[in-house]
C-alpha cells in the first residue's frame, strides 16, 4: 500500500495554490534491516549472509558505475552516475577540475517500476495520510 499526503504548492509559478500528492514514508530501512527482512522469507540464508551479499552488491554497483557501466537489476532499476557541470562557450576552454561540479548516483525504475507507468492495478492501493508533523519548506500541508 502506498501512503500519501497532500500539499499545497507555494511556488511562484502556475502550480501555486494547487494541491499535489506526496509519498509518505514511515522510515528508512538500512542494509541490516533489509537483510533481516529478506532472511525472514528464506530459512536457507541467515541475516548475516544476506547482509554480506547486499554489501558486496552495493560496492560492485559503485565500482562498475565508476568504470563507465550502467548496472541493471531487473524489476528494480538501472543504476548509473550522472554528472553536473558548468557550461563553457568555447569547447577548448573546458577544464574538468573547475567545470565539473557534481556527480551523483541515479536509479531509473525498470519493469513495472519504470517512469510514466500509469496502470493503477500495478500502483495501488493508496491511503491518504494526514499528519501535521510532515513538513516541506516550500509547501503547505493539509
Amino acid at each position: 500500500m502506498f501512503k500519501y499526503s497532500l500539499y499545497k504548492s507555494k511556488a511562484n509559478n502556475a502550480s501555486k495554490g494547487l494541491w499535489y500528492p506526496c509519498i509518505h514514508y514511515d522510515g528508512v530501512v538500512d542494509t541490516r534491516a533489509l537483510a533481516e527482512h529478506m532472511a525472514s522469507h528464506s530459512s536457507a540464508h541467515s541475516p548475516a549472509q544476506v547482509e554480506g551479499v547486499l554489501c558486496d552488491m552495493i560496492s560492485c554497483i559503485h565500482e562498475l558505475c565508476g568504470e563507465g557501466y550502467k548496472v541493471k537489476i531487473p524489476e528494480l532499476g538501472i543504476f548509473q552516475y550522472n554528472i553536473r557541470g558548468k557550461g563553457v562557450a568555447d569547447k577548448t576552454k573546458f577544464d574538468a577540475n573547475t567545470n565539473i561540479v557534481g556527480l551523483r548516483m541515479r536509479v531509473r525504475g525498470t519493469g513495472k517500476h519504470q517512469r510514466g507507468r500509469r496502470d493503477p492495478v500495478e500502483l495501488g492501493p493508496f491511503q491518504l495520510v494526514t499528519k501535521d508533523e510532515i513538513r516541506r519548506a516550500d509547501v503547505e500541508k493539509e
Side-chain angles (χ1 to χ4, degrees):
M1 171 163 327
F2 292 94
K3 297 178 185 177
Y4 71 98
S5 58
L6 294 174
Y7 69 90
K8 190 174 186 178
S9 175
K10 291 183 178 182
N12 289 323
N13 57 31
S15 70
K16 185 172 188 168
L18 299 179
W19 290 90
Y20 291 92
C22 179
I23 286 287
H24 170 77
Y25 299 98
D26 290 325
V28 176
V29 176
D30 64 9
T31 308
R32 178 163 289 149
L34 176 59
E36 289 171 2
H37 177 81
M38 290 173 65
S40 74
H41 289 279
S42 168
S43 60
H45 306 290
S46 73
Q49 290 171 318
V50 175
E51 185 177 7
V53 170
L54 287 172
C55 289
D56 286 348
M57 180 185 80
I58 292 166
S59 294
C60 289
I61 288 173
H62 282 288
E63 178 183 352
L64 290 168
C65 288
E67 292 174 0
Y69 293 95
K70 296 178 185 177
V71 178
K72 181 177 181 178
I73 300 177
E75 295 301 320
L76 180 62
I78 299 171
F79 296 77
Q80 66 189 69
Y81 279 118
N82 278 9
I83 197 169
R84 213 177 97 220
K86 294 187 284 188
V88 294
D90 181 359
K91 181 179 176 180
T92 63
K93 303 284 186 202
F94 185 86
D95 176 33
N97 294 319
T98 56
N99 294 103
I100 295 176
V101 296
L103 185 68
R104 67 180 175 142
M105 177 64 71
R106 175 179 174 210
V107 182
R108 291 182 295 136
T110 58
K112 64 182 179 182
H113 304 289
Q114 62 192 343
R115 185 175 189 208
R117 187 85 177 201
R118 296 188 184 268
D119 185 353
V121 175
E122 296 284 340
L123 298 176
F126 298 98
Q127 175 188 353
L128 178 62
V129 176
T130 56
K131 287 190 174 182
D132 292 332
E133 63 268 17
I134 302 171
R135 300 274 190 259
R136 281 185 48 175
D138 61 336
V139 297
E140 172 186 311
K141 291 285 180 177
E142 178 177 80

